[in-house]
Amino acid sequence: MSHRRHNIGPVSIRERLYPAQEDLAVLHMHCAHARYVWNLGLEQRGYWRRGMPSISAHAQQRSLAQARKDTWLGEGSSSVQQQALFDLDRAFKNFWRNPSHFGRPSWRKAGIHEGFAVRDLKTRRINRRWGEVQVPKLGWVRFRITRAWAEIAGGTSARVTLDRAGRWHVSFTTPPKPFERTGTGAVVGLDMGVVSAFTTSDGEHSVMPQLLSPGETQRKRRLERKLARQQKGSKRRERTKHQIARLAAKEADRRKDFIEKSTTALVRDFDVVCVEDLLVKNMLRSARGTVEAPGRRVRQKAGLNRAISSVAFSAFRRRLEDKAACATAPVAVVAVPPAFTSQRCSHCGHTAPQNRKSQAVFVCGACGYEAHADVNAAKNILAAGLAVSGRGGTPHGQPVRAEHSGPVKRQPLGTEAA
Ligand SMILES: [Zn+2]
């Protein structure tokens, strides 16, 4: 696959776990203990937060050790319980570092959050289709192999989960590979459009390619009509469903490929990447509605496009951050509130809805500055990002590029530095 080369940052592979009937009690116990310890830790943190110094992760581990001596927790696995606290600690650290991305660690509920982490991961291969993973207090438990064994065996930790349909899974996490890059001194702002595309403050437009060819789109429509006619539960209907699912997987693969290539190129070329906080942007959009979409079907479609873009852009931002986090020369991803980025003049700062002449054209009513509307927005996002991250640049003016004076030479998307 072409996007495998772009798999930078922690990679997770999920396989279906097939525990024996007699293993279920222990698996359920691990889930219950992990949840109990997580929630207890969460309560402790919440309690200490009110005016008191926060309890340290180390102190929490000590109090867990004491609780294991004094209570029924002692019957369970110390590694499962300790790991629940480590996970909680990491969740808090992520939250403090980037609240809008990670959210505050929340209460785990029975029946919904069923799972536990496996440390000191040991796996072995039984045959082509089956592997085994070592679970504390159980020993080897079977799972079905659907991915390359090397990827599974490369995992250093795993998580066992139970979904609401009663299926057990095991997810293997491979540690992040470093992203090799050298500092460029270049900075960029990104404007994310409603359609699956983004524009940089350097004036570059990147559009997600059509996910399906015209032939494939036609085939998908035909299959969907066929499905509607077919009898529920019939073999033929199952086959049609499978064919549709394969097309959907193709679409997802191509979307992923675009995201992987674009984020790799951005992290390679820029030391600072400023993006809008899309959570806020989407809220603004849904409140405003779409004026340009009068017909009902059209509006439905616009809503759907928006939902798809919003999912794709969350993935985009997550991959951007994953890659930035393991870059060998530092890359900062800065999220800025999206207010007025499309109405403000990036040249003089004059802000008025009339500045935006159309979807594509921006003309400032005060200074006469003319630009592509998305490029103007991307420049505002860059300036805001530089201002909040304290990296220089004035809120409304052109940011100063350290070292680089001319535009950054960029390789076309999808080509990598050797
Ligand atoms: Zn202006």
Side-chain angles (χ1 to χ4, degrees), residues 391-412:
R391 280 164 211 273
T394 53
H396 306 308
Q398 287 286 20
V400 185
R401 273 217 181 99
E403 291 151 44
H404 276 247
S405 47
V408 193
K409 276 197 209 95
R410 302 199 59 203
Q411 287 172 260

Side-chain angles (χ1 to χ4, degrees), residues 185-233:
V187 296
V188 74
L190 303 182
D191 176 64
M192 303 291 212
V194 185
V195 288
S196 301
F198 65 90
T199 300
T200 73
S201 47
D202 292 336
E204 188 182 330
H205 303 277
S206 279
V207 182
M208 191 181 291
Q210 279 295 314
L211 295 178
L212 293 180
S213 70
E216 286 167 333
T217 307
Q218 224 173 25
R219 186 169 130 77
K220 191 178 172 194
R221 266 193 222 119
R222 208 165 46 231
L223 286 169
E224 276 163 353
R225 280 200 298 270
K226 195 167 157 189
L227 186 76
R229 285 196 307 268
Q230 281 169 329
Q231 208 170 8
K232 289 217 169 84

Side-chain angles (χ1 to χ4, degrees), residues 21-313:
Q21 197 62 34
E22 61 266 29
D23 293 344
L24 294 179
V26 173
L27 290 178
H28 281 292
M29 174 186 78
H30 286 340
C31 291
H33 287 180
R35 188 172 55 242
Y36 179 81
V37 169
W38 169 285
N39 287 340
L40 205 64
L42 192 68
E43 225 169 43
Q44 267 182 332
R45 296 258 181 151
Y47 175 75
W48 287 102
R49 213 162 41 88
R50 283 188 276 276
M52 305 278 230
S54 174
I55 185 167
S56 73
H58 189 68
Q60 286 198 309
Q61 289 289 356
R62 270 205 314 269
S63 78
L64 171 64
Q66 192 57 47
R68 282 181 54 78
K69 275 192 202 131
D70 303 341
T71 69
W72 48 266
L73 275 175
E75 292 161 28
S77 151
S78 64
S79 107
V80 164
Q81 296 166 11
Q82 284 170 4
Q83 195 55 42
L85 279 184
F86 283 127
D87 290 346
L88 177 69
D89 189 46
R90 178 149 19 90
F92 267 109
K93 282 183 176 142
N94 286 340
F95 168 66
W96 290 326
R97 193 163 49 87
N98 189 348
S100 65
H101 187 56
F102 289 100
R104 200 183 160 73
S106 61
W107 194 258
R108 293 201 163 158
K109 296 190 184 81
I112 296 168
H113 304 104
E114 297 285 357
F116 62 92
V118 178
R119 284 196 305 201
D120 310 318
L121 181 63
K122 286 192 186 69
T123 52
R124 67 182 183 193
R125 193 172 190 174
I126 304 298
N127 55 38
R128 201 169 56 82
R129 292 167 63 184
W130 293 95
E132 287 185 326
V133 56
Q134 209 164 52
V135 176
K137 294 203 180 272
L138 269 188
W140 297 103
V141 179
R142 283 194 317 162
F143 65 87
R144 186 69 192 271
I145 300 170
T146 64
R147 305 281 283 267
W149 179 253
E151 287 183 37
I152 294 168
T156 49
S157 65
R159 216 180 139 69
V160 172
T161 53
L162 173 65
D163 69 14
R164 279 191 249 192
R167 290 170 303 197
W168 292 91
H169 289 96
V170 55
S171 305
F172 300 98
T173 304
T174 312
K177 294 189 197 88
F179 186 112
E180 299 288 345
R181 75 182 290 276
T182 42
T184 58
V187 296
V188 74
L190 303 182
D191 176 64
M192 303 291 212
V194 185
V195 288
S196 301
F198 65 90
T199 300
T200 73
S201 47
D202 292 336
E204 188 182 330
H205 303 277
S206 279
V207 182
M208 191 181 291
Q210 279 295 314
L211 295 178
L212 293 180
S213 70
E216 286 167 333
T217 307
Q218 224 173 25
R219 186 169 130 77
K220 191 178 172 194
R221 266 193 222 119
R222 208 165 46 231
L223 286 169
E224 276 163 353
R225 280 200 298 270
K226 195 167 157 189
L227 186 76
R229 285 196 307 268
Q230 281 169 329
Q231 208 170 8
K232 289 217 169 84
S234 73
K235 270 233 162 71
R236 282 159 190 273
R237 191 167 198 268
E238 281 310 305
R239 199 167 60 209
T240 311
K241 259 189 180 168
H242 183 69
Q243 287 166 328
I244 293 174
R246 278 180 55 183
L247 279 172
K250 217 175 233 181
E251 277 185 283
D253 266 359
R254 287 173 189 165
R255 183 178 300 123
K256 187 176 173 195
D257 200 49
F258 171 77
I259 291 171
E260 292 300 325
K261 282 176 176 160
S262 329
T263 51
T264 291
L266 288 164
V267 170
R268 183 192 61 207
D269 292 347
F270 297 100
D271 288 359
V272 181
V273 182
C274 305
V275 293
E276 284 178 300
D277 205 324
L278 285 168
L279 209 69
V280 182
K281 184 169 181 171
N282 283 330
M283 281 180 343
L284 289 178
R285 279 216 174 107
S286 52
R288 227 186 290 143
T290 51
V291 190
E292 293 118 292
R296 201 162 154 262
R297 289 288 299 268
V298 182
R299 191 156 43 212
Q300 263 177 8
K301 209 170 168 198
L304 188 66
N305 282 341
R306 208 160 41 231
I308 292 169
S309 336
S310 121
V311 169
F313 288 151

Side-chain angles (χ1 to χ4, degrees), residues 344-350 355 362-369:
R344 177 179 296 133
C345 171
S346 64
H347 193 68
C348 75
H350 173 66
N355 285 350
F362 181 94
V363 180
C364 178
C367 77
Y369 173 75

